[in-house]
Amino acid sequence: MLSGVTNRYSNYSVTQIAEACGFAEPLYFSRVFKKYYGVAPSYYLKNLNENG
């Protein structure tokens, strides 16, 4: 969903993506994402959008 590939989630916020992934708390999703990918999902999305 955060891959940068255009899909049905491309224009969703991190909160909406967290909910779609089954996380009740967006903050918990962000913590888990950062643990595995080393950056916050919002930072990841921002860089994807800037770097194409």
Side-chain angles (χ1 to χ4, degrees):
M1 291 182 183
L2 297 173
S3 67
V5 176
T6 302
N7 59 42
R8 66 185 180 138
Y9 299 103
S10 296
N11 296 318
Y12 284 40
S13 70
V14 172
T15 299
Q16 292 168 318
I17 292 171
E19 290 173 359
C21 290
F23 287 84
E25 294 293 326
L27 181 59
Y28 181 65
F29 169 76
S30 293
R31 287 181 184 162
V32 171
F33 187 92
K34 187 171 183 176
K35 178 180 177 181
Y36 286 96
Y37 295 100
V39 295
S42 57
Y43 180 83
Y44 183 86
L45 281 175
K46 181 180 179 233
N47 284 332
L48 273 178
N49 292 334
E50 288 177 359
N51 297 325

